[in-house]
Every structure is written in C-alpha cells, then in structure tokens.
C-alpha cells in the first residue's frame, strides 16, 4: 500500500457519521406520571430515553433493552425504593451511572447507597432542570470514559493476542497452504468478523489456493466477482465498506444480498511491491472500526505478507 496512513484516515472518515448518530440510552424511573413525562421530555433530544413507573417495571425494561448509560430514579416509590432498585442493577450493569431523585431526607439510605458505589449523585426535589441536565451530562461522560477505557484494554489484549498467534502460526506451519486457514481464523476472532478469507494471487489474479474461516462453519467465496476485491487488487489499497447498503458501487451486487454480508473490508497482502493475496473480513451487520483497529489490520497484513513469503520459500 502506497500510503497506509492516508488510507486509514480516509476510512476513518467513513466511520464518524455512524458513530456520531448513536444516542446513549438512559432510563428514567418515577411512579408519578407527571414527573416521568417531565423527565422524558427533558432528555429526549440528547438521549434515547426509556421510562418505567416502578422499580419492578424498570428491571423488566433493563432485561429487555440491556445496558443503559444512566439511570435516574425516584427514591420514594411503592413496592421498591429507588436505592433498592438501583442496588439490583449493579451486578449485571456495573458500568451504568445511577442518580437518585429525592424529596425526602432519606440520608441513611442515600449514604449507604453512595458508599456502596450504587449511586453517583442524588438530586433533591423539586429539581432545577438546568442542574439536572448538567449532572446527567457529566454522568453520561463518566460512562463514556469508563467504556472507552474498558474497550481500549480489551483491544490492547486482542491486538497482542493477534500478533502472538500470527507469529506462532507462521513458525509452526510447514507449508504455505497450511498457514492460511489458521491465519483466517485468528483475524476473524480478533475483529469479531463472521467470515474471513485469505486467498492468494498470481500476477494480480486470484488463484485457488486459499484459507477461510466462518463462525457458521462454512463460507462461500465470491471474491472473484466482488467489486470491492477487484478495486483492492487493481489499486493495491485497503477497501472498506462498513455499511454495504449505503455503498453505491455495491448496489445490486447479488452475493451481498444472498449471503447477508452487510460490512466488508478487503486488505491487499503485499511484500516488496509484489501482491501475494487478499484478506477479506466480512460482517453480517453494519460495523464500526476504530482508527487503531484499521492500523492493526494494516500491521497484521504486513506480518502475513512476510510469513507467506517465508513459507513460500520453504
């Protein structure tokens, strides 16, 4: 690839719109209909707001919807206090930030909940809308930061695992063909792709020699008729389609519809200006790749190129 950094930044621009459009989910809980409606209207512009009129119903909402960034709960509710409800959410959703609304001086309950890490902040009723919005915004930023750090750690571990396995596979394989499928599997695992194909080239033409891996067990290889693959081979450049339905050049390409592939990345495997093959990563849902992931894909492709060259010479 002539300028992988420039290609990565170009690909990154494709991701930003997808990422910006995602609203964080928050859950508001209050047994008083007027308060519940007011909370919903206060936050609906900035967040995807879920609501419940009791702690029991709120637990059902979480069971159906999954993790939310912030929970705002009234303290005094029939059947279950806000602090009791929030304590029940901690084991399954430890990263969620919890806020209590209280019109009473339930100091003992609140102090216990705060000390146990179950409540981020409490707000007295009647609340000031501006103050509440500021608190919730900070809570959402806290959630975002925690998730970002957790994800960075996970990615760092995945990167190390990928590079380690690549080195192990290439050292252990006694032939070029034997190394292809293990390499496809480790790429699929590292980037959570449903399918991965590593197919060799001779004089920029795909040949039969390939390795593939699919979580479903089998994968159909249609790279020889794929416009994205053709472009990657013709230009020796990384090709990215993170949402196939929005790519005009892939409109009407039947194999995407037939196989359900909704995101596709094709990476040329090149060593000293010789293109050795292509690596295809396929997902069944539109996806988002961070810049560091695209950088890792490029670095790993270079390692694969070295490994293929080494095995070819054996």
């Amino acid at each position: 690839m002539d300028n992988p950094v420039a290609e990565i930044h170009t690909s990154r621009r494709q991701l930003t719109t997808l990422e910006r459009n995602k609203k964080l989910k928050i859950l508001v809980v209050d047994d008083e209909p007027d308060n519940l409606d007011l909370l919903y209207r206060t936050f609906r512009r900035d967040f995807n707001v879920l609501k419940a009129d009791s702690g029991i119903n709120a637990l059902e909402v979480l069971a159906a919807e999954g993790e939310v960034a912030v929970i705002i709960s009234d303290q005094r509710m029939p059947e279950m206090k806000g602090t009791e409800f929030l304590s029940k959410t901690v084991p399954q959703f430890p990263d969620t930030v919890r806020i209590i609304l209280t019109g009473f001086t339930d100091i003992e309950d609140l102090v216990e909940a705060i000390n146990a890490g179950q409540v981020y902040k409490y707000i007295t009723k009647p609340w000031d809308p501006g103050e509440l919005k500021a608190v919730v915004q900070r809570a959402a930023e806290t959630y975002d930061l925690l998730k970002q750090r957790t994800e960075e750690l996970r990615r760092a571990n995945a990167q190390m695992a990928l590079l380690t396995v690549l080195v192990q596979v290439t050292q252990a394989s006694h032939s070029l063909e034997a190394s292809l499928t293990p390499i496809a599997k480790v790429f699929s695992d590292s980037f959570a792709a449903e399918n991965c194909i590593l197919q060799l080239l001779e004089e920029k033409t795909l040949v039969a020699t390939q390795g593939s891996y699919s979580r479903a067990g089998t994968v159909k290889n249609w790279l020889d008729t794929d416009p994205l693959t053709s472009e990657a081979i013709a230009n020796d450049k990384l090709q990215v389609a993170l949402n196939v339905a929005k790519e005009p050049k892939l409109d009407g390409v039947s194999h995407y519809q037939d196989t359900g592939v909704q995101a596709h990345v094709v990476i040329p495997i090149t060593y000293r200006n010789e293109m050795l093959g292509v690596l295809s990563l396929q997902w069944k849902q539109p996806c988002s790749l961070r810049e560091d992931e695209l950088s890792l894909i490029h670095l790993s492709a270079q390692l694969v190129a070295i490994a293929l060259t080494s095995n070819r010479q054996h």
Side-chain angles (χ1 to χ4, degrees):
M1 284 180 263
D2 296 333
N3 190 346
V5 174
E7 292 173 33
I8 288 166
H9 284 297
T10 299
S11 302
R12 180 64 185 161
R13 285 195 292 272
Q14 298 178 31
L15 313 180
T16 53
T17 302
L18 290 174
E19 293 176 349
R20 274 196 214 109
N21 289 338
K22 291 180 181 176
K23 283 185 178 180
L24 289 177
K25 285 194 294 188
I26 69 171
L27 172 62
V28 295
V29 188
D30 200 309
D31 62 305
E32 296 181 22
D34 288 346
N35 283 345
L36 193 60
D37 186 56
L38 177 58
L39 288 168
Y40 175 80
R41 287 187 285 108
T42 300
F43 296 108
R44 65 180 178 180
R45 289 177 181 266
D46 299 318
F47 300 97
N48 177 8
V49 184
L50 310 174
K51 56 184 181 177
D53 58 8
S54 70
I56 292 172
N57 288 342
L59 291 172
E60 292 175 353
V61 170
L62 289 172
E65 296 286 340
E67 184 174 278
V68 298
V70 181
I71 299 174
I72 308 165
S73 175
D74 187 29
Q75 169 63 357
R76 284 291 181 97
M77 296 185 292
E79 298 179 339
M80 188 185 297
K81 289 182 180 180
T83 47
E84 182 186 355
F85 153 62
L86 291 179
S87 70
K88 293 179 181 295
T89 69
V90 173
Q92 189 174 359
F93 307 112
D95 295 340
T96 294
V97 182
R98 299 163 183 83
I99 297 170
I100 279 282
L101 301 175
T102 178
F104 301 86
T105 54
D106 298 312
I107 298 301
E108 288 185 9
D109 286 343
L110 292 175
V111 168
E112 183 181 345
I114 291 170
N115 287 340
Q118 297 165 358
V119 174
Y120 168 77
K121 195 170 180 67
Y122 73 91
I123 302 290
T124 54
K125 298 166 69 173
W127 65 83
D128 175 79
E131 179 190 357
L132 183 58
K133 287 183 84 169
V135 169
V136 171
Q137 189 59 48
R138 288 197 298 272
E141 290 168 0
T142 298
Y143 173 84
D144 256 345
L145 183 60
L146 182 60
K147 280 299 184 187
Q148 180 181 333
R149 288 177 176 171
T150 302
E151 185 65 11
E152 284 172 355
L153 179 60
R154 185 197 69 78
R155 290 177 196 275
N157 290 335
Q159 291 173 8
M160 184 60 67
L162 171 61
L163 299 179
T164 300
V165 172
L166 278 177
V167 171
Q168 290 173 344
V169 164
T170 54
Q171 289 178 340
S173 298
H174 299 294
S175 69
L176 180 63
E177 290 78 5
S179 68
L180 300 181
T181 294
I183 290 173
K185 183 180 187 306
V186 72
F187 268 91
S188 177
D189 291 342
S190 296
F191 298 102
E194 274 80 11
N195 305 323
C196 181
I197 300 171
L198 175 56
Q199 188 166 2
L200 300 191
L201 291 162
E202 289 181 6
E203 297 181 355
K204 289 200 168 187
T205 301
L206 290 166
V207 297
T209 308
Q210 63 181 278
S212 64
Y213 175 78
S214 172
R215 287 196 225 166
T218 58
V219 55
K220 185 176 181 181
N221 188 340
W222 33 254
L223 298 184
D224 58 343
T225 60
D226 179 52
L228 211 62
T229 304
S230 298
E231 193 169 338
I233 294 171
N235 300 321
D236 192 9
K237 294 183 184 298
L238 175 79
Q239 299 298 315
V240 178
L242 296 177
N243 189 342
V244 167
K246 295 185 177 181
E247 293 285 343
K249 62 187 172 187
L250 301 181
D251 187 37
V253 179
S254 61
H255 53 247
Y256 285 102
Q257 299 168 359
D258 295 342
T259 60
V261 170
Q262 296 188 46
H264 191 196
V265 173
V266 185
I267 310 102
I269 306 297
T270 303
Y271 183 75
R272 292 183 177 174
N273 297 322
E274 180 187 359
M275 197 179 302
L276 306 175
V278 290
L279 184 75
S280 164
L281 288 167
Q282 304 167 12
W283 294 265
K284 294 297 181 73
Q285 295 292 333
C287 73
S288 174
L289 292 172
R290 286 169 36 144
E291 187 169 340
D292 62 325
E293 287 183 305
L294 290 168
S295 298
L296 176 62
I297 288 173
H298 171 66
L299 172 61
S300 302
Q302 291 178 315
L303 288 178
V304 171
I306 294 169
L308 294 182
T309 303
S310 173
N311 283 335
R312 190 170 60 176
Q313 292 171 352
H314 287 169

